[in-house]
Amino acid sequence: MITDKVSSCAFESSYSTKNTTVTYDQLTVETNTFSPGGLNKTTGIFTSRVSGLVSVSVYFSPYSIDGKTTTATRVYIQKNGGKLDEGIIATTKSTTLSYIDESAGKNLLLLLNKTDTVSVFMASGYQLYSLTFCVHSI
């Protein structure tokens, strides 16, 4: 059980760099009763400083402009730099429309050890808009 509390949320208005860990424009919430640790917006990595259960959420709007082919957006929640199978968020656009704009997201409970990391990885897609990433101790 985590006795020290952390609530960290970050926001990225637009992200399009495939095969990278998402970084953020700003931290929207940062409540951390222990230090160091929490969410680093520059690296996009949350580092746990205690062991315990956390709620991890990721929400975004995948945007595709491609009227001729199928566009798949794949985003993963990562733990310690590895993609979690249960952390995939996937959307696919296969249409003759000139664009598609929708929302996608996921919430997971993860058991973290001290110094474990959590992040968001953009594997494929055209662009992510209005992405939020939050980690809250439970």
Side-chain angles (χ1 to χ4, degrees):
M1 178 173 166
I2 297 178
T3 55
D4 289 315
K5 297 294 179 185
V6 64
S7 288
S8 296
C9 289
F11 175 80
E12 174 59 38
S13 59
S14 177
Y15 195 83
S16 60
T17 309
K18 292 175 235 5
N19 295 311
T20 62
T21 297
V22 176
T23 58
Y24 302 93
D25 294 329
Q26 63 181 324
L27 293 178
T28 57
V29 173
E30 184 64 28
T31 303
N32 190 349
T33 61
F34 55 93
S35 185
L39 183 54
N40 181 320
K41 72 176 188 167
T42 305
T43 64
I45 296 173
F46 171 85
T47 302
S48 179
R49 291 298 176 210
V50 294
S51 297
L53 190 63
V54 296
S55 172
V56 178
S57 60
V58 178
Y59 292 92
F60 60 89
S61 293
Y63 186 75
S64 300
I65 299 176
D66 188 338
K68 298 180 177 118
T69 63
T70 299
T71 302
T73 299
R74 299 288 182 266
V75 173
Y76 290 86
I77 296 172
Q78 297 185 120
K79 181 178 176 183
N80 297 325
K83 297 176 201 167
L84 297 173
D85 290 339
E86 68 274 26
I88 188 172
I89 307 164
T91 66
T92 302
K93 176 237 173 198
S94 180
T95 180
T96 57
L97 294 174
S98 61
Y99 69 92
I100 188 168
D101 194 4
E102 62 185 350
S103 293
K106 183 163 282 201
N107 188 300
L108 291 178
L109 295 180
L110 295 177
L111 186 57
L112 299 181
N113 293 313
K114 185 176 180 180
T115 72
D116 278 351
T117 62
V118 180
S119 57
V120 178
F121 184 84
M122 181 180 179
S124 65
Y126 177 73
Q127 196 152 23
L128 308 176
Y129 285 106
S130 300
L131 187 141
T132 55
F133 169 48
C134 296
V135 180
H136 304 286
S137 56
I138 298 178

XYZ file of all heavy atoms in Angstrom, residues 13-18 60-65 71 73 100-101 122 124-129:
185
model
N -0.592 18.642 -26.875
C -1.592 19.103 -27.843
C -1.520 18.352 -29.163
O -2.546 18.060 -29.767
C -1.464 20.606 -28.069
O -0.170 20.925 -28.536
N -0.301 18.016 -29.618
C -0.143 17.335 -30.902
C 1.180 16.572 -30.908
O 2.226 17.146 -30.598
C -0.157 18.360 -32.029
O 0.064 17.737 -33.267
N 1.129 15.292 -31.280
C 2.341 14.469 -31.289
C 2.315 13.564 -32.516
O 1.301 12.922 -32.803
C 2.410 13.615 -30.015
C 3.771 13.023 -29.778
C 4.772 13.764 -29.166
C 4.068 11.724 -30.174
C 6.033 13.231 -28.962
C 5.327 11.185 -29.969
C 6.296 11.938 -29.363
O 7.544 11.407 -29.152
N 3.436 13.482 -33.233
C 3.452 12.682 -34.464
C 4.746 11.901 -34.683
O 4.951 11.361 -35.768
C 3.190 13.584 -35.669
O 4.191 14.580 -35.768
N 5.609 11.816 -33.695
C 6.885 11.126 -33.871
C 6.712 9.639 -33.554
O 6.618 9.252 -32.390
C 7.978 11.740 -32.984
O 7.995 13.155 -33.190
C 9.337 11.153 -33.312
N 6.647 8.828 -34.609
C 6.426 7.395 -34.448
C 7.637 6.701 -33.814
O 8.759 7.155 -33.928
C 6.099 6.755 -35.785
C 4.756 7.183 -36.339
C 4.532 6.616 -37.706
C 4.223 7.575 -38.788
N 4.227 8.969 -38.639
N -6.590 10.104 -26.022
C -6.148 10.961 -27.111
C -7.137 10.882 -28.269
O -8.008 10.011 -28.307
C -4.742 10.562 -27.601
C -4.671 9.143 -28.100
C -4.927 8.839 -29.429
C -4.345 8.114 -27.234
C -4.860 7.523 -29.884
C -4.273 6.799 -27.679
C -4.531 6.510 -29.008
N -6.955 11.773 -29.227
C -7.686 11.740 -30.491
C -6.694 11.408 -31.595
O -5.809 12.214 -31.874
C -8.346 13.090 -30.782
O -9.366 13.349 -29.864
N -6.808 10.217 -32.200
C -5.936 9.891 -33.333
C -6.474 10.566 -34.581
O -7.671 10.544 -34.837
C -6.039 8.367 -33.438
C -7.381 8.050 -32.878
C -7.681 9.099 -31.847
N -5.612 11.194 -35.325
C -6.035 11.934 -36.508
C -5.313 11.363 -37.719
O -4.095 11.171 -37.681
C -5.699 13.414 -36.338
C -6.224 14.289 -37.441
C -7.571 14.604 -37.508
C -5.366 14.802 -38.398
C -8.069 15.420 -38.518
C -5.858 15.618 -39.403
C -7.201 15.931 -39.461
O -7.671 16.734 -40.452
N -6.077 11.098 -38.770
C -5.499 10.521 -39.975
C -5.926 11.327 -41.181
O -7.095 11.678 -41.311
C -5.960 9.073 -40.165
O -5.580 8.290 -39.077
N -4.987 11.607 -42.044
C -5.303 12.203 -43.341
C -4.719 11.274 -44.385
O -3.514 11.181 -44.538
C -4.694 13.604 -43.515
C -5.240 14.559 -42.471
C -4.985 14.131 -44.915
C -4.630 15.929 -42.518
N -5.039 3.441 -42.395
C -4.121 4.027 -41.430
C -4.411 3.440 -40.061
O -5.537 3.541 -39.579
C -4.275 5.560 -41.381
O -4.046 6.080 -42.689
C -3.286 6.175 -40.415
N -3.436 3.400 -36.035
C -2.760 4.081 -34.938
C -2.594 3.079 -33.814
O -3.568 2.451 -33.396
C -3.574 5.294 -34.449
O -3.716 6.208 -35.534
C -2.886 5.983 -33.281
N -10.284 11.420 -40.444
C -11.098 10.825 -39.381
C -10.614 11.405 -38.063
O -9.427 11.616 -37.869
C -11.033 9.284 -39.388
C -12.045 8.714 -38.408
C -9.632 8.789 -39.096
C -12.248 7.228 -38.547
N -11.538 11.697 -37.184
C -11.199 12.270 -35.890
C -12.077 11.590 -34.848
O -13.298 11.679 -34.922
C -11.426 13.777 -35.908
C -10.779 14.489 -34.739
O -10.087 13.817 -33.943
O -10.955 15.699 -34.616
N 4.214 5.836 -28.879
C 3.488 5.899 -30.150
C 4.191 5.003 -31.156
O 5.278 5.318 -31.630
C 3.421 7.325 -30.684
C 2.644 7.421 -31.989
S 2.590 9.117 -32.598
C 1.667 8.883 -34.116
N 2.647 3.682 -34.130
C 2.268 3.997 -35.508
C 1.109 4.976 -35.513
O 0.471 5.209 -34.494
C 1.880 2.721 -36.267
O 0.719 2.142 -35.701
N 0.855 5.523 -36.678
C -0.245 6.466 -36.846
C 0.240 7.753 -37.463
O 1.439 7.954 -37.670
N -0.710 8.629 -37.755
C -0.370 9.902 -38.383
C -0.094 10.970 -37.325
O 0.967 11.566 -37.301
C -1.497 10.334 -39.319
C -1.269 11.674 -39.953
C -0.318 11.827 -40.959
C -1.986 12.785 -39.542
C -0.088 13.059 -41.537
C -1.762 14.024 -40.126
C -0.816 14.158 -41.117
O -0.585 15.377 -41.685
N -1.065 11.192 -36.432
C -0.894 12.232 -35.424
C -1.856 11.991 -34.266
O -2.978 11.543 -34.462
C -1.157 13.598 -36.027
C -0.646 14.744 -35.208
C -0.302 15.936 -36.082
O -0.802 16.086 -37.180
N 0.573 16.787 -35.598
N -1.389 12.307 -33.055
C -2.218 12.235 -31.857
C -2.499 13.659 -31.409
O -1.589 14.474 -31.327
C -1.489 11.494 -30.733
C -0.917 10.122 -31.056
C -0.156 9.574 -29.855
C -2.010 9.172 -31.494
N -3.758 13.933 -31.101
C -4.147 15.248 -30.599
C -4.716 15.120 -29.194
O -5.295 14.092 -28.838
C -5.218 15.892 -31.497
C -4.666 16.414 -32.792
C -4.913 15.748 -33.985
C -3.913 17.576 -32.830
C -4.404 16.225 -35.180
C -3.408 18.058 -34.023
C -3.659 17.381 -35.196
O -3.156 17.856 -36.386
